[in-house]
Each structure stands twice: as structure tokens, then as C-alpha cells.
Amino acid sequence: MTQIVAVVGAGELGTHAVLAREALKRAARALQLPITIEVQRPDGVLDALEPQTLAAADVVLLVGSAAAEPRFEHLRQHKASVADVLHDARSLLLQLAAEAPAAAPAPATLKIVAVTSCPTGIAHTFMAAEGLQQGAQALGHSIRVETQGSVGAQDALTPAEIAAADLVLIAADKQVELSRFAGKKVFQSPTKAAIGDGAGLIRRALAEARVQGGEAAAAGAPAAPTARTGVYKHLMTGVSFMLPFVVAGGLLIAIAFALGGIYVYEDVHQGTLGWTLFQIGAKGAFTLMVPALAGYIAYSIADRPGIAPGMTGGVIAGAIGAGFLGGIVAGFIAGYGALLLNRWIRLPRTLEGLKPVLILPLLATALTGLLMYYVVGAPAATLLAALTAWLQGMQGASAVVLGLLLGGMMAVDMGGPINKAAYVFGTTLIAANVTEPMAAVMCAGMTPPLALAVACKLLPSRFTPEEREAGNAAFVLGLAFVTEGAIPFAARDPLRVIPSLVAGSAVAGAICLAMGVQLKVPHGGVFVLPIPNAVTHLGAFFAALLAGTAVSVAALALAKRRAAAPAAA
């Protein structure tokens, strides 16, 4: 099969370059032709072609202002204008495939196993799985994907499937247990690469995968901490494990208030169902939030040796009043402490088994606890108290500015790092009993898919038939607070869609904070709002949601152009 790479340049018309890229991707997907596309825009290069991708390619398509370069010397080169691509990308790709020299023997079908996972385990997990499945099909390989979503692993890989695999591909934004893949070629990537170009990610994985260290059957031995990827991934791993405690605790407290009133926690109500549910939620689930956050941040960094010191540090953070900020610091101290101790301590082979069960937990827990009590505790507690006091005292302009910022962040990348940063800010503040930011975050996160669903109905000529069909699903996803429902629309027309969505989400967030809306549950969309006391000022929440949706729809009406009619067959 012809391996095509394309370089799209449009000079000062960066929007046209993005549109040409999307046209080529759609045509290649329909023809089942593998293609990797680099976009040269005035502000920089997007998705630059990697050397291994060029080495595997047969032909390069130079579109618009893209010019021949030394790196393309070994490839057949074909020139086309942006207009040619936008008019009929399918015919252009067919021509390239027809001009290909006699095909070399087809590569053997490889067996690939994959795991996809994201912090909330809802949309990106399954979108990444779909991208990998489509990419493997296009390349002629077989693939089995395990999705580690919000309800645990689905389609779990069996030991036999792992043993028979030629490649293990991990597309995840949080830490995934790797010990079962010991001895296999493993490649790790964020979910974004799998969603955007599954075939390209598989080609890259085949070229760059490395053998995972350790022994698959070595129970209790710490897995080699390969390919750790930064503070963000470690924090997201901790947040993903913390979220169930926040959700369960918040809902139980809301139900307790509904049954026994806002003073249900007082001793006069002791023994009642409402009082008991409050104890379970507040004294049980909420108490474990910060230890879970700290413990699994440490786990992401140092694997199993980090869990005990991380959770202990989280308990200490709660005891000394350092809250979630102290818990985050404790998680990183415990994780990197355990990781360094594991590297520094060398024991005879006969004593290595003591490290994960005795030596590392003891030393890392002592190190974390001492630093929390003597160094980190007081500053973290002071900072948390100041942050809490400022947020609880916000009024007028300060509340509006924070709402605009949080709301806009939710729509910038719709599930990416900026979106998740705002979401983590809202969820972790629930532990400090500051619930207004969470209301702004959820309302602003619901706005983008809802606005696009409404716009598809009111402005059908601005959207393709595929987009209008996707609008129905986007409406349900928006109601459920799955911002990722807007991604397909943003990918097709980012320069018009994303600013329109940011404007509406910023308005929704600002209205929520300005009107003092509080939300005790960090997920669920409209499906958790009817629960008594889950949200305060329910009318204001819906007013903010409607206003934000209306602003985005109006912006889309101004920015979006009429969708191009499909080319004649």
C-alpha cells in the first residue's frame, strides 16, 4: 500500500492550510490510504513529519506554498494547489496511489495490544481506542484495545493475548500499570495522538517501542518506571483516583441534607438515616480524598513503592490543615523520594525482595512525614487558608474575572491539559468546602457541545451532513458534562469554532460565580442537578448555561461560513 506524506502550506492563509489538511484526512480515511500530514502555518509548523515517518513513505504531496526540501530527496514528489485539494482531495490521492511503482511484498500482519485511559475515563479513553482500531485496520494489523474508563477496565487483555503480541501501545493521560507487559515492546503516548492520527501513532510506535523491563511474574517487585512523562500526567493520575471519593461523598452529603435539613450533622439527629449518610459522605469518603490524591500521584511516579508514603503524606496533610495543596506536595515528595531511594539502594539479590515490602515503604514514609511536618505543612496550610478565604469572599469584579478565566479554559482544548487544569482546580477545592468554582467549571464545560448541537439545528447550512448528525450526540454529551462532544466540530474548523465556544463558556462561568452558584458534585451534568442541595441557586445555574450557549451560537452564526457542497460523483 502506498505510504503518503503531505506538507500543506498556505502562506498567510493559515486557515486554508488547516482546511486542506482535514480534506486530505477525510479522503484518505475513505480510501483506506495511510497518510501523515504536516501543516506549515505563519505561526509555526503543526504535526511536523518525523524522520521515521519519512523513511517509510513512498511519495510526498506538496500543497500550496510548501516547497521541495532535502529531506524529501528519496521520495516521489507531487505538487498541488490548496484549491485542488479543497475541490477534490479524493481524486488527487487516487492519482498518487495509481502512480505508485510496483508494490513491495505486503508487511506481515502484526498483533498489537493497546490500553487507553484518561483522567476522567469518559470520552478520550474511548475516542483513543477508536482511533487506534481505525489506524490498525488502515495499516493491515490486528489490534485488541483495553479501555480503562471510569467504571474500570473493559475488554481486559488476557495473558495469552499479551504473550502473543508484537507490540504494546499505551495511549493514556494517566499512569497505567505496566508490570504485566514485562519483556514486551512497549510504547507510551498521550491519548491526543491516538485520537488525531491512530495510524501515524502505530507507525511511530513500531519504530520507537522499547522492551519493558522486569519479569511479568515477579509479584511484589517494583515495576521499572519507564517513560514517566511529567508533572501533569502524575497529577492527573492522582485526580482520576480521587474523583470517585469526591463524587460519592458529595452525593451522600447532598442526600443527607435532603433527608434531614442543613443541620442534619448535629448530634440531635444522631442515629437518623440522614445523619448516618452524612457521616459516610463527610467523615468517610471526603476524609479519603486527599490521601487518595497523594497516594496515586506517588504511584504514578514510583509505582507501588510510592503508594504507602503517598497516602500517609495525604493523611498528614489533612491532619495539619494543609488540605489538597499539601496532599499534592506530599504526593510528589513521596513519589520522587521512593523513586530515588529505589535507585540508590543496592542490595544483594537474595535481599531484593525486602525493598518493596519493607525498606522503601519505611524510608519513603519517614522522609515524607518528616518533610510534611517540619517543612511543607505550615506554608501549605497558610496558602490553603488564604486561597479559601479569598474564594469565599469573592464578589463583583473578582468573581466575574475568575469565572471568565475558568469558563474560557474549559473550552480552549475540550478535555486537554488546559481544560483539565480548570477542572482539577474546581474538584480539589470541594475538599476545602469551596464549591463555587466547581459550578462555574461544570456549567462552562457543558456549554460547547450544547451550543454546537443548537447551532446545527438553527444554522444547518453552516455544517456538513456529518456534523449535523454529530450534533444530536453532542446535545446528549453536553447535558452529561462531556465537553469532548465538541471536538469533531473544532477539529474541522478550529479558527472559527474554538473562539466561539470560548466566548460562550467564559460567559457561563462568569455568571455562575457572579451569582454565587455552588456545586458539591464534580460530574454528571444535568443528571445530578435535581438531587436536593447538590447545587445551590439552580435557576441561576440554568440561566448561566442558557446565556453561555446563546453567546456561542451567536458567535458561530457570525464566524461560520456556509459548508461546502459535496463534490459531484
Side-chain angles (χ1 to χ4, degrees), residues 84 90 98 143 202 271 278 308 313 319 387 438 540 548:
D84 291 338
R90 185 175 186 277
I143 190 168
I202 291 173
F278 182 88
L387 176 64
M438 189 65 241

Side-chain angles (χ1 to χ4, degrees), residues 436-531:
E436 291 87 351
M438 189 65 241
V441 165
M442 191 161 90
C443 186
M446 295 167 65
T447 299
L450 289 176
L452 285 162
V454 173
C456 284
K457 299 298 183 184
L458 298 181
L459 309 164
S461 63
R462 314 292 177 89
F463 299 91
T464 66
E466 294 84 0
E467 287 176 320
R468 294 197 294 272
E469 182 67 25
N472 298 324
F475 184 76
V476 178
L477 293 173
L479 292 178
F481 181 37
V482 180
T483 315
E484 289 90 339
I487 289 177
F489 301 87
R492 287 178 181 268
D493 192 3
L495 298 182
R496 295 184 180 89
V497 170
I498 292 177
S500 302
L501 300 181
V502 168
S505 290
V507 168
I511 293 174
C512 273
L513 276 181
M515 301 185 75
V517 181
Q518 299 180 27
L519 181 66
K520 299 180 176 68
V521 185
H523 220 295
V526 298
F527 302 104
V528 300
L529 298 182
I531 298 174

Side-chain angles (χ1 to χ4, degrees), residues 21-35:
R21 177 189 66 176
E22 295 305 316
L24 287 171
K25 280 187 175 181
R26 288 197 301 272
R29 193 180 303 121
L31 296 170
Q32 296 188 343
L33 286 174
I35 188 169

Side-chain angles (χ1 to χ4, degrees), residues 175-478:
Q175 182 60 27
V176 171
E177 172 62 53
L178 298 177
S179 60
R180 57 181 168 152
F181 304 124
K184 307 300 294 185
K185 294 183 68 175
V186 177
F187 182 81
Q188 297 189 69
S189 164
T191 56
K192 182 179 179 182
I195 294 170
D197 185 6
L201 179 60
I202 291 173
R203 283 195 292 267
R204 180 183 170 196
L206 291 171
E208 300 180 17
R210 297 291 179 267
V211 174
Q212 174 69 17
E215 297 180 12
T226 17
R228 306 292 184 196
T229 54
V231 171
Y232 173 75
K233 183 175 181 179
H234 303 321
L235 179 61
M236 287 298 102
T237 299
V239 169
S240 71
F241 282 97
M242 180 193 73
L243 276 179
F245 296 97
V246 183
V247 173
L251 286 173
L252 287 169
I253 291 170
I255 294 171
F257 286 152
L259 294 175
I262 60 173
Y263 300 109
V264 70
Y265 54 85
E266 294 183 347
D267 289 342
V268 68
H269 298 288
Q270 187 169 353
T272 65
L273 178 60
W275 182 90
T276 305
L277 290 175
F278 182 88
Q279 302 305 310
I280 297 170
K283 304 293 179 63
F286 268 25
T287 302
L288 291 171
M289 284 193 306
V290 175
L293 174 66
Y296 283 98
I297 288 174
Y299 161 75
S300 178
I301 299 168
D303 218 281
R304 283 170 288 181
I307 293 180
M311 287 194 169
T312 303
V315 171
I316 294 171
I320 62 180
F324 78 91
L325 292 179
I328 292 172
V329 176
F332 283 103
I333 291 174
Y336 285 113
L339 184 64
L340 292 175
L341 288 169
N342 190 25
R343 290 176 177 173
W344 290 342
I345 297 174
R346 292 288 181 264
L347 296 175
R349 187 178 183 86
T350 55
L351 298 179
E352 274 291 321
L354 293 177
K355 283 175 67 175
V357 297
L358 173 62
I359 297 173
L360 291 178
L362 171 64
L363 296 180
T365 299
L367 172 67
T368 304
L370 290 171
L371 287 175
M372 287 299 296
Y373 273 115
Y374 290 122
V375 180
V376 176
T382 302
L383 179 60
L384 178 64
L387 176 64
T388 302
W390 175 67
L391 290 169
Q392 290 177 334
M394 278 192 317
Q395 294 181 3
S398 61
V400 170
V401 171
L402 180 61
L404 286 169
L405 177 62
L406 289 176
M409 290 172 69
M410 289 301 293
V412 168
D413 54 0
M414 290 156 281
I418 298 174
N419 169 285
K420 285 296 187 291
Y423 181 66
V424 169
F425 181 75
T427 54
T428 50
L429 283 172
I430 293 178
N433 200 32
V434 179
T435 53
E436 291 87 351
M438 189 65 241
V441 165
M442 191 161 90
C443 186
M446 295 167 65
T447 299
L450 289 176
L452 285 162
V454 173
C456 284
K457 299 298 183 184
L458 298 181
L459 309 164
S461 63
R462 314 292 177 89
F463 299 91
T464 66
E466 294 84 0
E467 287 176 320
R468 294 197 294 272
E469 182 67 25
N472 298 324
F475 184 76
V476 178
L477 293 173

